[in-house]
Amino acid sequence: MSTAPTNAFEWSDLDERTVDTARVLAMDAVQKVGNGHPGTAMSLAPAAYLIFQRFLRHDPTDPAWVGRDRFVLSPGHTSLTLYTQLYFSGYGLELDDLKAFRVAGSRTPGHPEHGHTAGVETTTGPLGQGIANAVGMAMAARYERGLFDPEAPAGESPFDHTIWAIVSDGDLEEGISAEASSLAGHQKLGNLVALYDDNHISIEGDTETAFSEDVLKRYEAYGWHVQRVTPKANGDVDVEALAGALAAAKAETSRPSIIAMRTIIAWPAPDAQNTAKAHGSALGAAEIAATKKVLGFDPEKTFEVSDQVIEHARRVIKRGKAARDQWQQGFEAWRAANPQRAAEFDRIQAGELPEGWKKAVPTFPAGKDVATRKASGETLKALGAVIPELWGGSADLAESNLTTIDEDSSFLPEGNPLKSASPFGRTIHFGIREHAMGSTMNGIALHGNTRVYGGTFLVFADYMRPAVRLAALMKLPVTYVWTHDSIGLGEDGPTHQPVEHMASLRAIPGLSMVRPADANETAVAWRTVIERQTTHPGPVGLALTRQNVPTFDREVFASAEGTAKGAYVLAEASNGDPQVILLGTGSEVQLAVQAREALEAEGIATRVVSVPSFEWFQEQDQAYRDSVLPPSVKARVSVEAGIAQGWRELVGDHGRIVSLEHFGASADYKVLFEEFGLTAERVIAEAHNALRALEAVNR
């Protein structure tokens, strides 16, 4: 099923003209809008064209074809590198789209955006994220193969495909690429090929300003297959040498591959080539005219594309269909030989869950205190037993996060000495690489056909934030298991105690944060996350306790089913008409429950509302929200072991907030809660304050 070139390399004048057309389009598109990055798109044009025309297994008429290779442009600033190939290949972009580059509403925004432009596999721009996404895609491809066709010889399964990535100096300077590349080498991801555009130029000039290590030696140390391609005497890409290197990289299936390709940015612009200005600025009319003369184009014309060039480039559609037909034959043979696996494949492709899966979700008995991280771990194992596409792990904190879905199945390559090692294992060992974990999870989700989660301490979500933001931006179905969610983790002290993190994460549009109050809320939260992944796209973070918390008696308190709505009445006022409402989340809900008992004993009708998720609550209609928080009840008190930001919208102008506005300390969590005023007594006092203030206003 390979579409790699034969040993007799062919490169025609028309191929050369098509590449030069891509260079002209890059110059003209940036010049027209007045900003952008023309230089790299010019120098990368031969490589991108070669990959799309000769190596990438794809069908431009069906960008979502499950058997396709994946292409990732990690330096998203050179988006024209990708857009011109999508235009040439027939993905639906046309010349007018290139003319509308960076214009509002166009299909060619400044950086490629997944879900916005057909053929764009991931949103790139923040450097290093793309290569980490590619690592995740390669991991997902291997796990998918294990789900559906584990016995097939290497290279003979319809689920074998290659992840192609172009990376830049900037990508390799960002620490995320080191984390992800180390992981890829450790995992021996032989289905990953990275082409490193070694152009020696960044915004501040020659990369000698900040970047001087031998990249290939570094990647060799990671366990990658390394090659180098030098330019031709005139400075242009040696396409034949590059084709040989790409073919060798594809043939190397026991480890990931990287090819360092020396390029001259903005080649062949007479004055702009090899300059920092060419990286991020329009070349100017005079330089563009001079470059067009060098390339044999009319300097008076803009966006010049001959019918012959387009006809030639779009022959890739025919080649793609032929590759797909060949793949389809193998796929149909697999279906016939594996009817049960084929049925599983169809279910997963359709976004459906196994029949009766909800029965596996555990229910926890009242009367026993259970940490929500422990309840999460038990729920995860129960779900794993019935949802084979669910997999994931932790950033070396599985013993604390309780994220091991299967102790006898670790996602590790052949040759790994661990007893549980399997190339198709379910438990991912991300290592101490939170940032890479977040970004590879994005790649796994983008690849499709699996459901992924990853765990670490909530305080270390800071390391993951760029990846989390991109997951929200792309609306990816990834799940974060963030444990040790407050000062309740105790003696590890302020470096490990998240104080501002819940508010900070709640501030990310599209990310749902869920902080369950007890074991049953945790189980319902997991069930809801799994259900939502096909109906409410977007990432979800579970914030879970280290310390034990009470498991509420649901015959006394309301059902934990309310968790799915983000907030619900856990305990109603004794007379059904509350004077004050106490709101809590996570481990602090128990404080609200204790405070209610005291207030009710004083004759103050008190309602307790559990608020596991601000975001899920905001999704509910106004009638439901008002039923939980009646506008007429203005005496409200919230309690959470974190900063107050975000609670004012729920408690209102007259409400009171019990919060923590400073860092924690190293001590037993019970001591800390008492010392910092996170107590039922404090909640009671604030309830009285709210009621008195309202009385004063109403006099």
Side-chain angles (χ1 to χ4, degrees):
M1 287 182 276
S2 172
T3 55
T6 63
N7 291 333
F9 180 74
E10 297 179 0
W11 188 257
S12 68
D13 290 343
L14 197 48
D15 287 318
E16 195 69 35
R17 183 67 174 183
T18 306
V19 167
D20 290 341
T21 298
R23 289 170 163 142
V24 167
L25 291 174
M27 292 189 294
D28 285 345
V30 173
Q31 185 70 17
K32 183 176 185 295
V33 73
N35 56 79
H37 300 77
T40 306
M42 294 169 68
S43 54
L44 276 178
Y49 176 80
L50 182 65
I51 290 171
F52 268 78
Q53 293 285 325
R54 309 287 179 87
F55 285 88
L56 190 69
R57 186 173 75 190
H58 62 130
D59 180 357
T61 66
D62 184 4
W65 169 37
V66 71
R68 72 192 185 281
D69 287 350
R70 304 318 195 255
F71 175 80
V72 174
L73 182 71
S74 196
H77 57 267
T78 183
S79 54
L80 284 165
T81 296
L82 178 54
Y83 295 151
T84 53
Q85 297 310 316
L86 296 178
Y87 163 51
F88 285 164
S89 299
Y91 274 83
L93 288 186
E94 296 299 344
L95 194 57
D96 284 345
D97 293 302
L98 298 182
K99 293 178 180 178
F101 178 56
R102 286 181 166 238
V103 173
S106 77
R107 292 190 290 175
T108 50
H111 292 80
E113 297 178 17
H114 173 68
H116 183 77
T117 308
V120 174
E121 298 281 6
T122 181
T123 297
T124 53
L127 290 173
Q129 293 290 328
I131 181 59
N133 292 167
V135 171
M137 291 177 183
M139 293 168 66
R142 193 170 88 195
Y143 186 72
E144 178 190 45
R145 192 189 196 282
L147 279 179
F148 303 126
D149 200 18
E151 295 89 3
E156 296 184 19
S157 169
F159 299 99
D160 286 327
H161 53 269
T162 303
I163 315 301
W164 304 89
I166 289 178
V167 302
S168 65
D169 291 307
D171 290 297
L172 300 187
E173 287 180 55
E174 289 285 0
I176 175 64
S177 67
E179 289 185 26
S181 299
S182 171
L183 179 61
H186 178 71
Q187 287 288 350
K188 300 181 180 179
L189 298 176
N191 55 349
L192 174 62
V193 177
L195 177 61
Y196 164 36
D197 176 31
D198 183 16
N199 67 27
H200 291 204
I201 294 293
S202 65
I203 291 175
E204 294 186 5
D206 193 297
T207 51
E208 285 294 332
T209 58
F211 192 51
S212 56
E213 76 253 25
D214 188 323
V215 169
L216 291 190
K217 284 185 179 178
R218 173 156 66 99
Y219 272 77
E220 192 171 17
Y222 290 148
W224 288 53
H225 170 231
V226 302
Q227 300 177 82
R228 186 177 295 280
V229 173
T230 56
K232 295 190 293 188
N234 67 358
D236 197 6
V237 172
D238 186 335
V239 181
E240 184 170 1
L242 177 58
L246 289 169
K250 182 176 173 60
E252 174 56 69
T253 58
S254 63
R255 51 186 170 159
S257 293
I258 186 169
I259 302 164
M261 178 183 68
R262 179 72 171 98
T263 62
I264 307 300
I265 196 169
W267 190 92
D271 295 320
Q273 66 175 278
N274 206 33
T275 66
K277 183 179 182 296
H279 169 84
S281 302
L283 299 189
E287 183 72 359
I288 290 174
T291 307
K292 287 180 179 178
K293 286 182 180 179
V294 171
L295 294 173
F297 284 73
D298 186 342
E300 300 299 320
K301 293 182 179 180
T302 60
F303 295 96
E304 183 181 352
V305 183
S306 71
D307 292 342
Q308 191 179 18
V309 160
I310 284 297
E311 180 183 350
H312 178 70
R314 291 193 177 168
R315 289 178 183 174
V316 74
I317 296 174
K318 183 178 180 180
R319 291 194 292 272
K321 286 183 176 179
R324 180 170 181 167
D325 289 344
Q326 184 181 359
W327 176 89
Q328 192 68 36
Q329 291 177 15
F331 182 67
E332 293 301 330
W334 167 81
R335 290 188 72 94
N338 299 273
Q340 288 186 319
R341 286 176 178 163
E344 195 84 305
F345 172 84
D346 292 341
R347 174 186 66 76
I348 293 171
Q349 272 274 290
E352 298 172 354
L353 289 158
E355 187 175 349
W357 70 276
K358 292 182 185 179
K359 296 176 183 177
V361 178
T363 300
F364 295 87
K368 180 181 180 181
D369 291 358
V370 178
T372 55
R373 63 169 176 160
K374 186 174 188 300
S376 170
E378 292 185 23
T379 304
L380 193 52
K381 286 184 178 180
L383 290 171
V386 296
I387 306 176
E389 64 269 30
L390 179 63
W391 66 315
S394 176
D396 199 54
L397 287 168
E399 296 301 312
S400 294
N401 300 147
L402 303 179
T403 48
T404 300
I405 196 168
D406 186 343
E407 295 178 358
D408 298 320
S409 179
S410 289
F411 183 81
L412 288 166
E414 291 183 4
N416 188 283
L418 295 185
K419 292 180 180 179
S420 62
S422 165
F424 312 129
R426 298 189 71 181
T427 298
I428 305 173
H429 303 280
F430 289 104
I432 307 168
R433 304 182 181 99
E434 276 90 355
H435 198 173
M437 178 174 72
S439 297
T440 54
M441 286 168 66
N442 288 351
I444 290 168
L446 287 161
H447 182 276
N449 281 348
T450 68
R451 297 168 180 257
V452 68
Y453 66 88
T456 186
F457 292 169
L458 180 58
V459 75
F460 299 141
D462 285 345
Y463 287 131
M464 302 175 65
R465 193 175 183 90
V468 173
R469 184 177 185 272
L470 282 168
L473 185 65
M474 289 188 274
K475 300 180 179 179
L476 299 182
V478 297
T479 307
Y480 310 111
V481 182
W482 285 321
T483 68
H484 297 57
D485 68 343
S486 74
I487 60 168
L489 66 87
E491 291 85 351
D492 275 341
T495 62
H496 281 50
Q497 293 168 355
V499 173
E500 76 280 19
H501 292 71
M502 285 300 297
S504 173
L505 291 163
R506 286 169 179 153
I508 298 178
L511 170 66
S512 295
M513 288 300 298
V514 186
R515 191 164 179 249
D518 76 345
N520 287 306
E521 278 197 9
T522 305
V524 173
W526 259 115
R527 190 200 70 204
T528 305
V529 168
I530 297 295
E531 288 177 307
R532 287 172 58 93
Q533 286 181 340
T534 54
T535 59
H536 295 74
V540 178
L542 300 174
L544 307 169
T545 68
R546 174 184 185 266
Q547 76 275 24
N548 290 337
V549 292
T551 303
F552 297 117
D553 184 345
R554 296 297 171 165
E555 293 186 2
V556 175
F557 296 93
S559 166
E561 289 297 316
T563 304
K565 292 189 174 183
Y568 66 102
V569 178
L570 176 67
E572 184 54 285
S574 56
N575 63 1
D577 186 16
Q579 296 170 260
V580 64
I581 299 175
L582 308 180
L583 302 89
T585 186
S587 53
E588 290 72 70
V589 171
Q590 63 181 303
L591 302 180
V593 169
Q594 293 167 20
R596 174 187 175 275
E597 292 177 5
L599 289 167
E600 285 279 356
E602 295 177 28
I604 300 172
T606 305
R607 171 184 289 185
V608 173
V609 172
S610 178
V611 190
S613 175
F614 287 18
E615 296 79 18
W616 291 358
F617 186 53
Q618 286 301 316
E619 290 175 3
Q620 308 309 314
D621 59 37
Q622 191 64 49
Y624 177 78
R625 297 203 303 271
D626 287 349
S627 73
V628 175
L629 299 175
S632 60
V633 184
K634 299 185 182 301
R636 303 176 185 178
V637 180
S638 70
V639 55
E640 183 173 44
I643 64 172
Q645 185 174 329
W647 280 102
R648 181 58 60 190
E649 293 182 11
L650 292 181
V651 301
D653 293 339
H654 300 285
R656 296 291 189 270
I657 300 173
V658 177
S659 63
L660 188 64
E661 301 301 323
H662 54 78
F663 293 117
S666 180
D668 180 82
Y669 77 92
K670 293 178 182 178
V671 172
L672 294 178
F673 272 73
E674 186 72 30
E675 181 179 339
F676 296 148
L678 292 161
T679 63
E681 290 74 21
R682 172 82 182 283
V683 175
I684 294 165
E686 293 298 344
H688 283 299
N689 289 338
L691 288 167
R692 281 194 293 268
L694 279 172
E695 288 176 7
V697 169
N698 294 329
R699 283 177 188 157

